[in-house]
Amino acid sequence: MRIVFLLPMGIDRPSGRRYFNIARGLVRRGFQVRLLALHPDLATCSRRRIVVDGVEVWYVGQMHARKVGHVPVRFSPLQLLLVVVQSILGMIWGVLCSPADWYHLGKPQPINGMAALIAVRLLRRQPFLVDCDDDEVTANRFTAEWQRLVFAFWQWLLPRLAVGITVNTRYLAARMVRAAQPCVIVPNGVDVRSFTAPTATVRAALATALGLAGGPVIAYAGTIALHNHPVDLLLAAFEQVAARHATAKLLMIGGGEDLPQLQAYVARQPWHNRVIFTGHVPYPMVRALLALADLSVDPVHDDAVAHARSPLKIVESLALGVPVITGDVGDRAEMLANGAAGIVVRPGDAVALAEAIEELLHDPERRAAMAAVAVGRAQQYDWDRLAEQWATIYEVVGKGFQPAR
């Protein structure tokens, strides 16, 4: 069976890794898979067609923002219009060059949505499927109200036109799926075979180089963007922890548009030398850095962004045996085996977050017990297992349609 994904991002972005790992799992099951993707910095992309672990990746256009280095660069309105038009045309061309049994949109967004309507529905006269892994309206930062309305329209329209839907949370299943519409819930996952901690020697050397030796390490791994990743909650919690735990360090792994702002804020604090910002790092480096942590934190508010997310940072922490502290929102408690692999607290509450951090810092035996559960729990989120689950959507929709060959 031939599957073509239409992606509004590259495979090295967080959502892009979701689709690439699902695609890789499908390939292992005998599927032929091609990803039509948008590159974060197309001008520097020297190879626009590559094959990775059997998955064909075609970069057919530029993402809606240039994402290179620590902070993304936004286009002017005229530049953005040109980028959108060129990327839609590139994706239409990609679809016309890619006959498939099923076309699957990764995220209901304008560029891949328009390409699906024109190339898949109108020209190829085939149905398509949609995957929803975020609330696109609240998760994205818009510079104008019309942009928010455009994204809201496509998020409303595309799931209604799709013959089947995949989602990553129960919240999105309840919100996006119509009565009797086929739906499969596939959370985000981790490659448990490769996402393992480096040797103790390597970890010790890395900790020394970063100034993390000699004290417990609290880690955050993700985007530094306050509109959808409220890391200010974590900084507020760490201020309380730092006052009571003299050797605790905070490791902030990742880049984002609010990185300079938060670095400036931390620089003014008396505990500034106990916070390490890595900035954007290559994805293979994330596991080595996260493995230095005694615990990790996923700070969240009780909002649509958090309810819609299946956080990669949680499952990656589980795979490394790092207990997680997060807010009790969406599917997070289930991901942490209802308290066996971490702690859930009131969302949006920095005091509760600080209390949970201190609780685990002062109880190494409990941390060790959680770490053991976490490693076993990660098996439930292995990408190969999730790809098998994902493949069932094609079986279900295939009963009602005869895909073109």
Side-chain angles (χ1 to χ4, degrees), residues 121-186:
R121 289 291 294 269
L122 181 63
L123 299 178
R124 285 200 170 276
R125 299 186 180 276
Q126 289 182 239
F128 61 79
L129 302 94
V130 173
D131 179 69
C132 303
D133 74 335
D134 256 324
D135 182 320
E136 302 298 329
V137 180
T138 57
N140 285 283
R141 176 178 284 176
F142 302 110
T143 57
E145 177 64 12
W146 68 265
Q147 294 174 341
R148 188 190 68 80
L149 293 174
V150 168
F151 268 68
F153 170 75
W154 287 100
Q155 182 170 263
W156 171 86
L157 177 67
L158 292 171
R160 284 164 171 76
L161 297 179
V163 295
I165 295 181
T166 50
V167 296
N168 65 342
T169 59
R170 291 187 178 87
Y171 170 84
L172 286 176
R175 184 177 175 191
M176 298 293 182
V177 180
R178 297 173 298 151
Q181 188 177 34
C183 175
V184 174
I185 300 176
V186 183

Side-chain angles (χ1 to χ4, degrees), residues 133-376:
D133 74 335
D134 256 324
D135 182 320
E136 302 298 329
V137 180
T138 57
N140 285 283
R141 176 178 284 176
F142 302 110
T143 57
E145 177 64 12
W146 68 265
Q147 294 174 341
R148 188 190 68 80
L149 293 174
V150 168
F151 268 68
F153 170 75
W154 287 100
Q155 182 170 263
W156 171 86
L157 177 67
L158 292 171
R160 284 164 171 76
L161 297 179
V163 295
I165 295 181
T166 50
V167 296
N168 65 342
T169 59
R170 291 187 178 87
Y171 170 84
L172 286 176
R175 184 177 175 191
M176 298 293 182
V177 180
R178 297 173 298 151
Q181 188 177 34
C183 175
V184 174
I185 300 176
V186 183
N188 280 328
V190 62
D191 187 346
V192 295
R193 290 172 296 182
S194 64
F195 206 86
T196 56
T199 65
T201 302
V202 171
R203 294 202 305 275
L206 189 55
T208 300
L210 291 172
L212 295 172
V217 177
I218 303 152
Y220 168 83
T223 305
I224 310 293
L226 294 174
H227 70 283
N228 60 9
H229 294 84
V231 292
D232 52 336
L233 281 174
L234 175 54
L235 293 177
F238 184 73
E239 181 174 11
Q240 301 171 55
V241 172
R244 301 170 191 163
H245 207 297
T247 60
K249 305 285 181 65
L250 178 60
L251 178 62
M252 304 289 288
I253 307 165
E257 51 200 321
D258 291 321
L259 176 60
Q261 173 187 337
L262 293 182
Q263 286 176 317
Y265 167 78
V266 168
R268 298 191 298 269
Q269 308 309 313
W271 35 267
H272 65 90
N273 60 341
R274 295 162 64 183
V275 180
I276 293 88
F277 289 95
T278 69
H280 175 75
V281 297
Y283 181 65
M285 190 66 181
V286 171
R287 66 183 181 91
L289 293 169
L290 192 53
L292 302 177
D294 294 275
L295 59 91
S296 73
V297 180
D298 170 37
V300 293
H301 290 298
D302 186 2
D303 56 17
V305 174
H307 279 277
R309 284 218 168 119
S310 174
L312 282 166
K313 60 176 67 68
I314 289 183
V315 291
E316 290 172 349
S317 292
L318 295 178
L320 294 169
V322 177
V324 180
I325 298 173
T326 187
D328 191 5
V329 180
D331 299 339
R332 285 168 175 77
E334 179 185 349
M335 296 178 76
L336 298 182
N338 297 308
I343 299 177
V344 291
V345 301
R346 292 184 303 277
D349 189 334
V351 173
L353 208 57
E355 290 173 349
I357 292 171
E358 289 188 64
E359 185 179 330
L360 286 189
L361 289 183
H362 287 96
D363 194 345
E365 291 184 359
R366 188 180 179 196
R367 289 205 313 270
M370 285 183 169
V373 174
V375 173

Side-chain angles (χ1 to χ4, degrees), residues 34-79:
R34 179 176 295 169
L35 309 182
L36 304 180
L38 303 183
H39 197 275
D41 191 18
L42 189 66
T44 65
C45 181
S46 58
R47 297 180 60 203
R48 300 192 182 184
R49 294 190 191 182
I50 57 176
V51 178
V52 185
D53 293 343
V55 179
E56 293 184 59
V57 182
W58 288 16
Y59 284 113
V60 296
Q62 167 67 47
M63 285 180 62
H64 64 279
R66 286 186 67 240
K67 297 190 176 181
V68 57
H70 303 309
V71 180
V73 179
R74 297 188 179 276
F75 295 107
S76 70
L78 184 58
Q79 289 174 324

